[in-house]
Amino acid sequence: KQEVTQIPAALSVPEGENLVLNCSFTDSAIYNLQWFRQDPGKGLTSLLLIQSSQREQTSGRLNASLDKSSGRSTLYIAASQPGDSATYLCAANTGNQFYFGTGTSLTVIP
Amino acid sequence: ETGVTQSPTHLIKTRGQQVTLRCSSQSGHNTVSWYQQALGQGPQFIFQYYREEENGRGNFPPRFSGLQFPNYSSELNVNALELDDSALYLCASSFGRQQETQYFGPGTRLLVL
């Protein structure tokens, strides 16, 4: 069974700092991996999806990488802003199911 | 293009009752997945429907059941509610059997007393 782990569970950084969120998964047989953002009590907003054949994807200040062989993905956020404060979740897609980590709660301090 | 919508937004039930949650897919999507998210946890996969047929199921008991309609909207039914069923229930739609990007609705917050 696929297990997804996210480290750290919580992170607090000053505004403007670059940061990296980590996601690891136990089964490398995935179709893709998706990063989401969740604001308190809300649904999930898709940030980036990386196909299994890709190594990275970029959108604005966000860059996600994928290393299937080592079972790892990272989400890099450049020049963090207070509006980036949220919980970030990664999900590994095995074909008909996404397995989620428990998320990293990010606080960006003005 | 309309996004994924869910109803109701909040619901309070008592133990033993039954509940139906509803989800409207994003336009053009034919796959719907349902997730349960307990407080402080990541979403847990309940099941997925692709073109009106169940296409995968997570580790949830049979009292969790679902339907997908010809317009690709979907229902999640939970019978014999238990206190531990209290959670945020999320619906996600996508296109295709193996799922490309999933788009989530705002969720239904269920409280079982």
Short mmCIF file of all heavy atoms in Angstrom, two decimals, chain A residues 20-57:
data_model
loop_
_atom_site.label_atom_id
_atom_site.label_comp_id
_atom_site.label_asym_id
_atom_site.label_seq_id
_atom_site.Cartn_x
_atom_site.Cartn_y
_atom_site.Cartn_z
N VAL A 20 11.55 25.08 1.05
CA VAL A 20 11.33 23.79 0.38
C VAL A 20 10.46 22.91 1.27
O VAL A 20 10.75 22.74 2.47
CB VAL A 20 12.67 23.08 0.10
CG1 VAL A 20 12.42 21.69 -0.46
CG2 VAL A 20 13.52 23.90 -0.85
N LEU A 21 9.43 22.34 0.68
CA LEU A 21 8.59 21.37 1.36
C LEU A 21 8.87 20.00 0.77
O LEU A 21 9.04 19.87 -0.45
CB LEU A 21 7.11 21.73 1.18
CG LEU A 21 6.71 23.17 1.56
CD1 LEU A 21 5.22 23.36 1.34
CD2 LEU A 21 7.10 23.48 2.99
N ASN A 22 8.90 19.00 1.62
CA ASN A 22 9.27 17.66 1.18
C ASN A 22 8.12 16.68 1.22
O ASN A 22 7.26 16.74 2.12
CB ASN A 22 10.39 17.13 2.08
CG ASN A 22 11.65 17.95 1.97
OD1 ASN A 22 12.29 17.98 0.92
ND2 ASN A 22 12.00 18.64 3.02
N CYS A 23 8.12 15.76 0.29
CA CYS A 23 7.09 14.72 0.18
C CYS A 23 7.80 13.43 -0.22
O CYS A 23 8.58 13.43 -1.18
CB CYS A 23 6.07 15.13 -0.87
SG CYS A 23 4.86 13.87 -1.33
N SER A 24 7.54 12.36 0.50
CA SER A 24 8.11 11.07 0.12
C SER A 24 7.01 10.03 0.00
O SER A 24 6.00 10.11 0.71
CB SER A 24 9.18 10.62 1.12
OG SER A 24 8.60 10.45 2.40
N PHE A 25 7.19 9.08 -0.90
CA PHE A 25 6.20 8.03 -1.11
C PHE A 25 6.91 6.68 -1.22
O PHE A 25 8.07 6.61 -1.65
CB PHE A 25 5.34 8.31 -2.36
CG PHE A 25 6.11 8.71 -3.58
CD1 PHE A 25 6.47 7.77 -4.54
CD2 PHE A 25 6.48 10.03 -3.80
CE1 PHE A 25 7.17 8.14 -5.68
CE2 PHE A 25 7.18 10.41 -4.93
CZ PHE A 25 7.54 9.46 -5.87
N THR A 26 6.21 5.62 -0.81
CA THR A 26 6.88 4.33 -0.67
C THR A 26 6.86 3.50 -1.94
O THR A 26 7.74 2.66 -2.15
CB THR A 26 6.23 3.53 0.46
OG1 THR A 26 4.82 3.42 0.21
CG2 THR A 26 6.46 4.20 1.81
N ASP A 27 5.86 3.69 -2.79
CA ASP A 27 5.74 2.90 -4.02
C ASP A 27 5.99 3.80 -5.22
O ASP A 27 5.24 4.74 -5.45
CB ASP A 27 4.34 2.28 -4.09
CG ASP A 27 4.18 1.32 -5.26
OD1 ASP A 27 5.05 1.29 -6.16
OD2 ASP A 27 3.16 0.60 -5.29
N SER A 28 7.05 3.50 -5.97
CA SER A 28 7.42 4.37 -7.09
C SER A 28 6.54 4.19 -8.33
O SER A 28 6.67 4.92 -9.30
CB SER A 28 8.88 4.12 -7.48
OG SER A 28 9.05 2.79 -7.91
N ALA A 29 5.62 3.22 -8.29
CA ALA A 29 4.73 2.98 -9.44
C ALA A 29 3.57 3.96 -9.42
O ALA A 29 2.43 3.60 -9.11
CB ALA A 29 4.22 1.54 -9.41
N ILE A 30 3.86 5.19 -9.75
CA ILE A 30 2.83 6.22 -9.76
C ILE A 30 2.68 6.78 -11.17
O ILE A 30 3.61 6.74 -11.97
CB ILE A 30 3.15 7.37 -8.78
CG1 ILE A 30 4.45 8.07 -9.17
CG2 ILE A 30 3.22 6.84 -7.35
CD1 ILE A 30 4.73 9.34 -8.37
N TYR A 31 1.48 7.29 -11.46
CA TYR A 31 1.25 7.94 -12.74
C TYR A 31 1.69 9.40 -12.70
O TYR A 31 2.21 9.95 -13.65
CB TYR A 31 -0.23 7.86 -13.12
CG TYR A 31 -0.63 6.52 -13.65
CD1 TYR A 31 -1.07 5.51 -12.79
CD2 TYR A 31 -0.55 6.24 -15.01
CE1 TYR A 31 -1.43 4.27 -13.29
CE2 TYR A 31 -0.91 5.01 -15.50
CZ TYR A 31 -1.34 4.02 -14.64
OH TYR A 31 -1.69 2.79 -15.12
N ASN A 32 1.40 10.03 -11.58
CA ASN A 32 1.81 11.42 -11.40
C ASN A 32 1.74 11.78 -9.93
O ASN A 32 1.29 10.98 -9.09
CB ASN A 32 0.94 12.38 -12.24
CG ASN A 32 -0.55 12.19 -12.00
OD1 ASN A 32 -1.00 12.23 -10.87
ND2 ASN A 32 -1.31 12.00 -13.08
N LEU A 33 2.21 12.96 -9.61
CA LEU A 33 2.16 13.47 -8.25
C LEU A 33 1.65 14.90 -8.32
O LEU A 33 2.07 15.68 -9.19
CB LEU A 33 3.53 13.42 -7.59
CG LEU A 33 3.55 13.78 -6.09
CD1 LEU A 33 4.45 12.82 -5.32
CD2 LEU A 33 3.95 15.22 -5.87
N GLN A 34 0.74 15.22 -7.42
CA GLN A 34 0.11 16.53 -7.46
C GLN A 34 0.31 17.24 -6.13
O GLN A 34 0.21 16.62 -5.06
CB GLN A 34 -1.39 16.38 -7.77
CG GLN A 34 -2.09 17.66 -8.17
CD GLN A 34 -3.45 17.39 -8.79
OE1 GLN A 34 -3.89 16.27 -8.97
NE2 GLN A 34 -4.16 18.47 -9.13
N TRP A 35 0.59 18.53 -6.19
CA TRP A 35 0.68 19.37 -5.00
C TRP A 35 -0.55 20.25 -4.90
O TRP A 35 -1.02 20.82 -5.91
CB TRP A 35 1.93 20.26 -5.06
CG TRP A 35 3.20 19.53 -4.74
CD1 TRP A 35 4.05 18.90 -5.60
CD2 TRP A 35 3.78 19.39 -3.43
NE1 TRP A 35 5.11 18.36 -4.92
CE2 TRP A 35 4.97 18.65 -3.59
CE3 TRP A 35 3.41 19.80 -2.15
CZ2 TRP A 35 5.79 18.31 -2.50
CZ3 TRP A 35 4.22 19.46 -1.08
CH2 TRP A 35 5.40 18.74 -1.27
N PHE A 36 -1.07 20.36 -3.67
CA PHE A 36 -2.26 21.15 -3.41
C PHE A 36 -1.99 22.12 -2.29
O PHE A 36 -1.12 21.92 -1.44
CB PHE A 36 -3.43 20.25 -2.98
CG PHE A 36 -3.90 19.28 -4.02
CD1 PHE A 36 -3.33 18.03 -4.12
CD2 PHE A 36 -4.94 19.62 -4.87
CE1 PHE A 36 -3.77 17.11 -5.07
CE2 PHE A 36 -5.40 18.71 -5.82
CZ PHE A 36 -4.81 17.46 -5.92
N ARG A 37 -2.84 23.14 -2.26
CA ARG A 37 -2.85 24.08 -1.15
C ARG A 37 -4.24 24.01 -0.52
O ARG A 37 -5.25 23.89 -1.24
CB ARG A 37 -2.59 25.48 -1.69
CG ARG A 37 -2.87 26.59 -0.70
CD ARG A 37 -2.83 27.95 -1.34
NE ARG A 37 -3.29 28.93 -0.38
CZ ARG A 37 -2.69 30.07 -0.14
NH1 ARG A 37 -1.60 30.41 -0.83
NH2 ARG A 37 -3.16 30.92 0.75
N GLN A 38 -4.29 24.06 0.82
CA GLN A 38 -5.58 24.05 1.51
C GLN A 38 -5.59 25.14 2.56
O GLN A 38 -4.76 25.15 3.47
CB GLN A 38 -5.86 22.69 2.16
CG GLN A 38 -7.26 22.59 2.76
CD GLN A 38 -7.59 21.21 3.25
OE1 GLN A 38 -6.72 20.47 3.70
NE2 GLN A 38 -8.87 20.83 3.16
N ASP A 39 -6.53 26.06 2.44
CA ASP A 39 -6.74 27.08 3.46
C ASP A 39 -7.67 26.50 4.53
O ASP A 39 -8.46 25.60 4.26
CB ASP A 39 -7.30 28.34 2.83
CG ASP A 39 -6.28 29.01 1.91
OD1 ASP A 39 -5.28 29.50 2.44
OD2 ASP A 39 -6.47 28.98 0.68
N PRO A 40 -7.60 27.01 5.76
CA PRO A 40 -8.35 26.41 6.87
C PRO A 40 -9.84 26.22 6.57
O PRO A 40 -10.52 27.16 6.16
CB PRO A 40 -8.13 27.41 8.01
CG PRO A 40 -6.82 28.04 7.70
CD PRO A 40 -6.76 28.14 6.21
N GLY A 41 -10.33 25.01 6.73
CA GLY A 41 -11.75 24.71 6.56
C GLY A 41 -12.22 24.71 5.12
O GLY A 41 -13.43 24.62 4.87
N LYS A 42 -11.28 24.80 4.19
CA LYS A 42 -11.66 24.90 2.76
C LYS A 42 -11.26 23.64 1.99
O LYS A 42 -10.60 22.75 2.50
CB LYS A 42 -10.96 26.12 2.13
CG LYS A 42 -11.22 27.43 2.84
CD LYS A 42 -12.65 27.86 2.73
CE LYS A 42 -12.85 29.24 3.33
NZ LYS A 42 -14.26 29.67 3.29
N GLY A 43 -11.68 23.63 0.72
CA GLY A 43 -11.26 22.56 -0.17
C GLY A 43 -9.82 22.74 -0.62
O GLY A 43 -9.12 23.64 -0.16
N LEU A 44 -9.39 21.87 -1.52
CA LEU A 44 -8.01 21.88 -2.00
C LEU A 44 -7.90 22.61 -3.32
O LEU A 44 -8.76 22.46 -4.19
CB LEU A 44 -7.51 20.45 -2.19
CG LEU A 44 -7.03 19.69 -0.96
CD1 LEU A 44 -8.13 19.48 0.06
CD2 LEU A 44 -6.41 18.36 -1.36
N THR A 45 -6.83 23.37 -3.47
CA THR A 45 -6.55 24.07 -4.72
C THR A 45 -5.33 23.43 -5.35
O THR A 45 -4.27 23.34 -4.70
CB THR A 45 -6.29 25.56 -4.47
OG1 THR A 45 -7.44 26.15 -3.86
CG2 THR A 45 -5.98 26.28 -5.78
N SER A 46 -5.46 22.99 -6.59
CA SER A 46 -4.33 22.37 -7.27
C SER A 46 -3.27 23.41 -7.59
O SER A 46 -3.56 24.49 -8.10
CB SER A 46 -4.80 21.72 -8.58
OG SER A 46 -3.71 21.18 -9.28
N LEU A 47 -2.01 23.06 -7.28
CA LEU A 47 -0.89 23.96 -7.57
C LEU A 47 -0.10 23.47 -8.78
O LEU A 47 0.12 24.21 -9.73
CB LEU A 47 0.04 24.04 -6.35
CG LEU A 47 -0.58 24.62 -5.08
CD1 LEU A 47 0.41 24.50 -3.93
CD2 LEU A 47 -0.99 26.08 -5.30
N LEU A 48 0.36 22.24 -8.71
CA LEU A 48 1.19 21.69 -9.77
C LEU A 48 0.96 20.19 -9.86
O LEU A 48 0.75 19.53 -8.84
CB LEU A 48 2.68 21.93 -9.49
CG LEU A 48 3.21 23.37 -9.63
CD1 LEU A 48 4.56 23.50 -8.96
CD2 LEU A 48 3.30 23.76 -11.10
N LEU A 49 1.02 19.66 -11.08
CA LEU A 49 0.97 18.22 -11.29
C LEU A 49 2.20 17.83 -12.10
O LEU A 49 2.49 18.46 -13.13
CB LEU A 49 -0.31 17.82 -12.02
CG LEU A 49 -0.45 16.33 -12.32
CD1 LEU A 49 -1.89 15.87 -12.10
CD2 LEU A 49 -0.02 16.00 -13.73
N ILE A 50 2.92 16.82 -11.63
CA ILE A 50 4.10 16.34 -12.34
C ILE A 50 3.80 14.91 -12.81
O ILE A 50 3.51 14.03 -11.99
CB ILE A 50 5.34 16.30 -11.45
CG1 ILE A 50 5.50 17.57 -10.63
CG2 ILE A 50 6.59 16.06 -12.28
CD1 ILE A 50 6.65 17.51 -9.66
N GLN A 51 3.89 14.69 -14.11
CA GLN A 51 3.72 13.35 -14.64
C GLN A 51 4.92 12.50 -14.27
O GLN A 51 6.01 13.02 -14.03
CB GLN A 51 3.55 13.40 -16.16
CG GLN A 51 2.34 14.19 -16.63
CD GLN A 51 1.02 13.54 -16.27
OE1 GLN A 51 0.96 12.40 -15.78
NE2 GLN A 51 -0.07 14.26 -16.49
N SER A 52 4.75 11.19 -14.27
CA SER A 52 5.83 10.28 -13.85
C SER A 52 7.06 10.38 -14.75
O SER A 52 8.17 10.08 -14.33
CB SER A 52 5.33 8.84 -13.83
OG SER A 52 4.91 8.45 -15.12
N SER A 53 6.85 10.84 -15.99
CA SER A 53 7.96 10.96 -16.93
C SER A 53 8.70 12.29 -16.82
O SER A 53 9.72 12.51 -17.47
CB SER A 53 7.45 10.81 -18.37
OG SER A 53 6.46 11.79 -18.62
N GLN A 54 8.17 13.18 -16.00
CA GLN A 54 8.76 14.51 -15.87
C GLN A 54 9.63 14.58 -14.62
O GLN A 54 9.46 13.81 -13.68
CB GLN A 54 7.66 15.57 -15.80
CG GLN A 54 6.81 15.65 -17.07
CD GLN A 54 5.66 16.62 -16.92
OE1 GLN A 54 4.99 16.67 -15.90
NE2 GLN A 54 5.43 17.41 -17.96
N ARG A 55 10.52 15.57 -14.61
CA ARG A 55 11.37 15.77 -13.44
C ARG A 55 10.93 16.99 -12.63
O ARG A 55 11.15 17.04 -11.43
CB ARG A 55 12.83 15.95 -13.87
CG ARG A 55 13.44 14.71 -14.49
CD ARG A 55 13.39 13.53 -13.53
NE ARG A 55 14.15 13.76 -12.33
CZ ARG A 55 15.41 13.33 -12.16
NH1 ARG A 55 16.02 12.69 -13.14
NH2 ARG A 55 16.03 13.55 -11.04
N GLU A 56 10.35 17.98 -13.33
CA GLU A 56 9.89 19.15 -12.60
C GLU A 56 8.83 19.92 -13.37
O GLU A 56 8.68 19.74 -14.59
CB GLU A 56 11.06 20.06 -12.24
CG GLU A 56 11.79 20.70 -13.39
CD GLU A 56 12.91 21.60 -12.86
OE1 GLU A 56 13.90 21.08 -12.32
OE2 GLU A 56 12.78 22.82 -13.00
N GLN A 57 8.11 20.75 -12.61
CA GLN A 57 7.10 21.64 -13.17
C GLN A 57 7.20 22.97 -12.44
O GLN A 57 7.50 23.02 -11.24
CB GLN A 57 5.69 21.08 -12.98
CG GLN A 57 5.25 20.04 -13.97
CD GLN A 57 4.94 20.63 -15.33
OE1 GLN A 57 4.51 21.77 -15.44
NE2 GLN A 57 5.17 19.85 -16.37
#
